Amino acid sequence: PDYMIPATYITLDQLPLTPNGKIDTKALPAPGPERPDLANSYTAPRTDTERTLASVWSDILGIETVGIHDNFFELGGDSIISIQLIARAKKFGLHLTPRMIFKHQTIAEIAVHAGASTLVDAEQGRVVGDVPLTPIQHWFFEKELPAFDHFNQAELLATDSLDPDVLRQALTDLIEHHDALRLRCESGEDGWRQYLDESVDTGVLDVHDLSDVTADALSSVSLGIAEETQQGLDLAKGPLIRCALLELGAARGQRLLIAVHHLAVDGVSWRILLEDLGSCYEQRAAGRTPRLPAKTTSFRAWAERLRGFATSDAARAEFAYWAEAKPGGQVPRDRDGRNDLGSASTVTATLTSDETRALLRDVPRAFSTQINDALLTALAQALRDWTGDDETLIGLEGHGREDLFPDVDLSRTVGWFTSVFPVALRLAPGAGPVASLDSVKEQLGRIPNKGVGYGILRHLGAPDVASVLGRQPVPEVNFNYLGQFSRDLPGIGRYAPADEPKGHSISPDGMRWNVLDVTAAVEGDTFGVYIGYSTALHDRETVERLADGVMGHLRTLIAGSAEGAAESRWATPGAPLTDIGDTDMAAILKRFSI
């Protein structure tokens, strides 16, 4: 098929081999950043604004040449990348919004609107004081956790020759700049409250010399340090970030473990934090006081605006959609057991680099859709194959940084913004993934404000509204697309291999909140799906069949994106919208599971 024909060829003097004489695929060079074969021909930028945007797109998307009529989503862009694009463009004085990118999608169109900047609410000093709980924080504190302090996200980086003293300074700079890292939470008679502390935590970095530890013992010793680091966060007193620098010796380099409590970080925030940490380190190492880009709207201001929005007419207008009847959210079990973290396991499935490239670029171009539409179509198809039901209830996670207010910009704000909301997807009986894609796209398109309003109404809205939503079926399958990640982190290092120990990010004594956690992401040039499950509820073979089903349906969409196949889907009717008038790879799940 067309999607299996390489888009790029690289000539080598010889193929790299493993000690066993097989091709060493990890040592093969990555293909160059050539512009993909798009329907429109290349048109060079004509103005300073277009040249700036083309440079930013090229850097963010990893494509050497970008034309002004190239579509952002056909080049592999998604909603998370759009936030990075906005932050990068801001450095050059261009004001963009997610809505602008989703509406216009090409440099030529966006450039027309990029100069129309809006005054943004963004405190530049250290923000302190009480902060209302956001919807996702209410959701968190409603859970029965054995240790609220031990609920983190963590990164393990492979680094080289970092100076611990310089790194300490850079971490202090990071905590000073990003207010959420100074968050404090207390439980009282009236429930939980949070505030931003004025003091900047110090002593968050521990340095461990493991150069004399043998190779056989290194993993065990590193795991012990990681567990201690992950368990060292304190919501009431701080810190909410702790790091461990492991000196492994000249031949083995360093490892830097960074653990941040989830209340202060999410997947988008990690991209900001790691970029800024690298920048601060480089500037400190050069003897300069770090200068970071201007702050965007503070986490506190966002929380306050959400509280006001919850009782607004705009929020109440969404209630009719969220109150619609939904199917039951249960999936079949192999056995009835205790769905705890001690029984948690993960199944991983990946696409090849060629298939990944086709999924990110060819499928959106051929079907005029976005990556999330395709992923959810494949998941809904696989769930139907398993359950036999044409309608399924899925819990979706979004980045939550939606365009609710014209004077709010969250592109460089650190915190936990995730939105969690239920969506019922209905497939036409017997329809395959190509025929179902338009229907799924239409159903997802009905979701107001990309789902952020559900949590606002459910946790901040009027009691009558919140009670109706609270009585609805709870999805047992949760889906989260984390976007794309590069392996290298300028100024600081690169992601460590997945099999190196990071410790438990969440206390292993707690319960899992979903029956199946489906996470998808692209790291480097490989797309992966990771399904978390409980061995007390499901056999591994059951979950492997579900994962294989998702990948099989994605491959069907990829094959259907070949020239001429996309048009054929119009002959097949979509789902009728009755009742209603988006092994290395396992590191992603460990990194961002919630």
Side-chain angles (χ1 to χ4, degrees):
D2 288 348
Y3 74 87
M4 292 294 290
I5 298 175
T8 304
Y9 293 86
I10 298 175
T11 302
L12 304 177
D13 293 333
Q14 61 183 13
L15 291 173
L17 302 178
T18 67
N20 295 327
K22 297 182 179 180
I23 300 297
D24 186 354
T25 56
K26 293 184 178 180
L28 290 171
E34 288 83 5
R35 179 176 180 267
D37 184 17
L38 302 176
N40 55 287
S41 59
Y42 170 76
T43 303
R46 302 158 299 186
T47 67
D48 288 343
T49 298
E50 290 181 348
R51 280 187 284 272
T52 298
L53 287 174
S55 176
V56 171
W57 284 35
S58 174
D59 187 33
I60 293 290
L61 296 170
I63 298 173
E64 194 170 86
T65 304
V66 178
I68 62 172
H69 299 302
D70 296 348
N71 186 284
F72 175 71
F73 298 100
E74 292 179 11
L75 294 176
D78 56 45
S79 61
I80 295 177
I81 291 179
S82 72
I83 296 175
Q84 296 175 270
L85 182 66
I86 291 167
R88 193 70 57 87
K90 187 178 296 293
K91 295 181 181 180
F92 298 95
L94 297 179
H95 177 77
L96 309 180
T97 67
R99 182 175 288 112
M100 187 185 300
I101 296 171
F102 275 78
K103 180 178 181 180
H104 301 292
Q105 301 187 7
T106 69
I107 288 173
E109 295 174 345
I110 292 173
V112 175
H113 304 274
S117 63
T118 302
L119 186 62
V120 172
D121 176 12
E123 297 180 61
Q124 294 305 306
R126 188 184 301 178
V127 180
V128 299
D130 287 343
V131 180
L133 293 181
T134 62
I136 192 64
Q137 291 176 319
H138 278 285
W139 177 85
F140 170 73
F141 285 121
E142 287 178 359
K143 306 300 179 183
E144 295 181 7
L145 295 177
F148 281 102
D149 292 318
H150 189 185
F151 193 86
N152 316 327
Q153 289 190 334
E155 290 286 12
L156 183 63
L157 311 181
T159 61
D160 299 299
S161 304
L162 290 183
D163 184 315
D165 292 333
V166 176
L167 182 58
R168 286 190 179 93
Q169 291 179 307
L171 286 167
T172 299
D173 296 327
L174 200 69
I175 298 170
E176 166 71 33
H177 186 81
H178 292 294
D179 302 305
L181 298 179
R182 294 181 281 102
L183 197 66
R184 302 290 185 265
C185 300
E186 298 174 343
S187 178
E189 293 182 359
D190 297 328
W192 286 88
R193 66 173 286 264
Q194 67 177 347
Y195 66 96
L196 296 172
D197 198 12
E198 186 172 1
S199 62
V200 175
D201 293 308
T202 58
V204 300
L205 174 66
D206 294 320
V207 181
H208 304 268
D209 185 358
L210 306 185
S211 57
D212 293 334
V213 177
T214 65
D216 292 339
L218 183 60
S219 179
S220 176
V221 174
S222 299
L223 177 60
I225 294 171
E227 293 288 6
E228 180 183 3
T229 303
Q230 294 260 28
Q231 295 171 25
L233 305 182
D234 189 327
L235 281 177
K237 300 177 181 178
L240 263 63
I241 175 174
R242 281 196 67 191
C243 306
L245 182 64
L246 280 56
E247 301 279 7
L248 307 183
R252 298 185 297 196
Q254 300 170 319
R255 294 296 183 269
L256 175 61
L257 176 66
I258 306 173
V260 183
H261 198 283
H262 204 340
L263 284 176
V265 76
D266 56 17
V268 173
S269 298
W270 272 114
R271 292 165 166 88
I272 301 167
L273 287 176
L274 294 177
E275 179 180 341
D276 284 359
L277 180 59
S279 177
C280 287
Y281 183 89
E282 286 185 324
Q283 293 180 71
R284 284 292 182 185
R288 302 193 305 271
T289 300
R291 295 187 61 183
L292 294 174
K295 288 184 175 183
T296 49
T297 303
S298 71
F299 183 75
R300 183 181 66 178
W302 172 252
E304 291 171 343
R305 298 292 287 272
L306 291 186
R307 184 171 56 178
F309 180 79
T311 55
S312 67
D313 291 341
R316 291 287 299 213
E318 294 188 16
F319 176 66
Y321 172 84
W322 295 116
E324 290 176 1
K326 294 178 175 60
Q330 288 195 330
V331 296
R333 270 94 159 146
D334 294 322
R335 64 185 66 83
D336 292 323
R338 178 178 167 82
N339 188 22
D340 56 19
L341 287 166
S343 66
S345 189
T346 304
V347 164
T348 300
T350 62
L351 295 177
T352 67
S353 59
D354 286 336
E355 290 170 332
T356 298
R357 190 178 300 108
L359 176 65
L360 294 178
R361 297 177 181 176
D362 296 348
V363 170
R365 172 178 52 82
F367 297 112
S368 300
T369 188
Q370 296 173 18
I371 181 67
N372 231 34
D373 304 332
L375 300 182
L376 284 165
T377 298
L379 176 59
Q381 292 275 337
L383 287 170
R384 181 176 67 177
D385 295 341
W386 181 24
T387 66
D389 295 329
D390 291 323
E391 191 172 25
T392 185
L393 185 64
I394 300 174
L396 296 188
E397 290 186 39
H399 57 67
R401 302 167 189 244
E402 308 301 346
D403 276 343
L404 296 181
F405 316 104
D407 60 340
V408 167
D409 176 6
L410 301 172
S411 60
R412 277 192 46 80
T413 307
V414 167
W416 192 9
F417 292 87
T418 304
S419 55
V420 180
F421 53 96
V423 60
L425 293 180
R426 186 176 297 112
L427 304 177
V434 173
S436 300
L437 182 56
D438 289 315
S439 171
V440 170
K441 174 184 175 181
E442 184 176 350
Q443 293 175 67
L444 294 175
R446 290 189 61 239
I447 300 174
N449 287 318
K450 299 181 182 177
V452 70
Y454 173 82
I456 294 173
L457 292 172
R458 170 70 177 83
H459 298 288
L460 306 179
D464 59 327
V465 170
S467 63
V468 169
L469 300 184
R471 293 193 298 268
Q472 290 187 325
V474 177
E476 291 190 339
V477 178
N478 192 72
F479 175 78
N480 188 13
Y481 176 57
L482 297 171
Q484 303 174 45
F485 301 86
S486 61
R487 292 189 174 96
D488 294 328
L489 303 165
I492 197 71
R494 58 205 171 278
Y495 292 119
D499 57 355
E500 295 191 16
K502 292 194 297 185
H504 286 92
S505 291
I506 302 174
S507 172
D509 300 325
M511 299 295 293
R512 299 179 68 250
W513 296 341
N514 302 293
V515 174
L516 297 173
D517 286 303
V518 183
T519 305
V522 178
E523 187 166 26
D525 59 357
T526 306
F527 171 85
V529 167
Y530 324 90
I531 304 181
Y533 69 101
S534 168
T535 57
L537 300 179
H538 289 109
D539 296 328
R540 186 172 186 85
E541 293 76 12
T542 299
V543 184
E544 286 176 342
R545 283 195 297 271
L546 178 63
D548 290 342
V550 173
M551 305 309 276
H553 291 303
L554 284 177
R555 289 187 172 99
T556 299
L557 288 173
I558 292 170
S561 68
E563 186 176 357
E567 285 74 11
S568 66
R569 78 192 195 280
W570 302 111
T572 305
L577 298 181
T578 57
D579 303 329
I580 58 172
D582 238 295
T583 319
D584 286 345
M585 295 305 300
I588 293 286
L589 183 65
K590 293 179 182 178
R591 188 180 305 155
F592 294 116
S593 60
I594 80 165

